[in-house]
Structure formats: structure tokens, C-alpha cells
Amino acid sequence: QGRGETKNNSQESDHQMTTPPNAGRKVLVSTMKNEGPYVLEWLAYHKSIGITDFCIFSNDCTDGTNLILNRLDQMGVVKHFDNPQGPRMDPQRSAYSRANRTDWVRAADWVLIVDADEFLNIHVGDRSIDALIDACGNPDAISINWRLMGSQGQSKMSNDPFKGDLVTERFTRGSSFEDPENGLVWGFKTLFRPGKFGFFGVHRPKFKKDVELVPGMVTWTNAAGAPMGDQYLQKGWRGNKENVSNKFAQVNHYAIKSREDFLLKRLRGTANSKNKGRIDMDYWAKYDINTHEDTTIPTDQIRGQIDEWLADPDLAALARACADCSQRALDYQLQVPEFRTFIDTGHFEPMKDDS
């Protein structure tokens, strides 16, 4: 059992006794490409834990994700911005730079930057972001470690917007916190006060180059409310054995999902690397970790919220079209014998050279 899976330690019980103070306006910033089958669940979940505003960028979508986000923008659910990319541009960093220059984002009390396959899973109090901030002592930044969630041997995607199974309920086994299976496992994402930092990074906020870094200049904790360490003022996106914890929260990272979902992800490519072939079968092996059972993420409010949004006929039509497009893209991929074998058996043999 990983730390944080036992739910009733004394500190947590104390925090459950009272409603946590309102920590103010909490903005989630993210960038997406071809995330249509998953975006409604991800939005509904983060709304349920207290995100008040969504600042979403999208680039180069071919499955209708941008159209879904446009409709959600019209419905007042998100604010969506097109984020077109030129040669050698980085979608994540260009999006976060734009968010950092957006007044209503900068003016937020808190910003959380997570991808569409990452879910902030809070273990303390009423499971809200307010409860996490309160439990950690109301700091300036909270870095929250990943739990990489594996495929559990599942081969099929489930992308029907009305009847599909939730990602958060399908995949319930993941990595360890105490005994990392590989160097990625201790990665983290950060919830932070934007006014205390210069700009937004993928994993954590950063200071501008002309700012003198002084120990203690901000209060920066891990997900147990303990200091991260002054070395993170300068750099770092992974925890270490002194600060890794999921006592009050973790980020469930569903990087691969099923084998079919993974093939779609492979087509989409990577948002933060110039190595466009980075998402390969080695990537699958690194993320397909199923060593620890974890059903702690609260999913009870997700489906009702999705159904409420899908009552809008335009959104429903776009969601159906996206599911159909995703299936067609997958069917095309499965004409490649190596991919068909991967889906059917879980084994991948590298493609043979044409010569």
C-alpha cells in the first residue's frame, strides 16, 4: 500500500471536521491536441474539486477537440484559445507564456497547470483544492507528485461520450511513491500563487532571470505540507526521497490508458519535446506501471456533470463526431500489422526495414 491510501490518519480527521476556508479563484491552465474523447471527464472532475476557471489552449486538432472547446467556451464552461504552432515551436511553453500574459489568469489567487491526462486527486478533508491548501498551511506553492497509472492489460478504448467508461474508473493501478519503478515516477505538478512567481513552467512556476533567489522567499511545500527545499527555487521537476509524498494529494497521470488509446496518443505526438517520435513503445514500457491498487479518486460527480453539458445538442453532436473520428483514426492505424498485433497481444515487434 502506498502512503496516502489509508484514509483516516489523525491529521486528516482534524481537517475533515470543518469546512476549509475559500482560497479564492483557482484557474486551471492547459494545452491540448486531439483530446476530444477525454476532455469532458477531465473538465467535470476538476470542476468538482473546486477549479473556478479553465484557460485552455489547443493546437493542430484533427479530431474536433477545438470545436468541442469552442462550444464549451460559448456555454461559459471554459475560455478557449487557438494556439497555432510554427516550425520548431513548443505548444506547451507558448501556451503557458500566453497564459502568463493574460490579466485574468495572472490575477487568480491560484493557478494549476496540468495536462488532459492528469487529474489532481486530493485525499484530505472534503477532497477539494481549498482543503489541500488549508492542510498544507496556505503556502505559496504546493508540488504534488504523480502516480503513473498503468493500462492494467486493457486493449480497448471507451470513447462513447454518452455510454463510455470513465478513465478514472477504468484504470486503478499505478506506480509506487516509496520505491520508484523508474526515474519518471517522482515527477510532480504544482499548484501556486501566480503573483509570487515570474512565469509558468510545465511542472512548476519559475522566477525571472533578474530576480535574486533568496532562501525562504516563498513558502513551497510538498503534498504533505512539508518544505520542498530551497533548491527548487532554481530548478527541478522531480521529487526526491526526502520530499516525495502523497499524504494530502497526488496527481493521477493516465499517460497511456489502454493499448488502443495509446496508439491514438502516438499519432498525436508530444507537446513539450522537439523529438516528435518520443512517444514510442519504450514510452509505453516506462508508463505501464500497475504495481499499486489505487481507487482513491472521487468520481461520483463526474457523470452527472458530463450529462448536464451533453444536454446541449451542439456539444452532443460535436462529441459524437469526435468519437467517430477517433475510431476511424484508430482503424487506419490498425492496418499496420505490428500495431494490430500490439492491440491483440500486448507485444510489439519493431517494424521491419523495407530493404
Side-chain angles (χ1 to χ4, degrees), residues 35-53:
E35 294 283 2
Y38 319 108
V39 66
L40 293 179
E41 176 183 357
W42 181 85
L43 289 168
Y45 173 75
H46 283 100
K47 185 179 180 205
S48 78
I49 64 168
I51 289 294
T52 54
D53 300 271

Side-chain angles (χ1 to χ4, degrees), residues 257-275:
K257 306 179 183 76
S258 73
R259 297 196 290 274
E260 287 187 347
D261 290 299
F262 176 70
L263 283 189
L264 280 182
K265 180 186 180 89
R266 189 179 173 280
L267 275 180
R268 186 166 68 241
T270 179
N272 66 355
S273 170
K274 294 182 176 61
N275 176 8

Side-chain angles (χ1 to χ4, degrees), residues 74-94:
Q74 292 165 351
M75 293 166 64
V77 177
V78 306
K79 289 185 173 68
H80 172 227
F81 305 92
D82 191 29
N83 191 34
Q85 298 299 295
R88 296 182 297 280
M89 286 180 68
D90 181 324
Q92 282 189 322
R93 289 176 178 84
S94 61

Side-chain angles (χ1 to χ4, degrees), residues 319-347:
R320 284 192 188 97
C322 176
D324 181 63
C325 179
S326 299
Q327 187 63 54
R328 289 168 186 264
L330 177 67
D331 291 343
Y332 182 75
Q333 282 273 280
L334 293 181
Q335 295 178 57
V336 178
E338 290 86 352
F339 292 151
R340 179 77 262 175
T341 300
F342 172 64
I343 296 301
D344 291 342
T345 70
H347 299 292

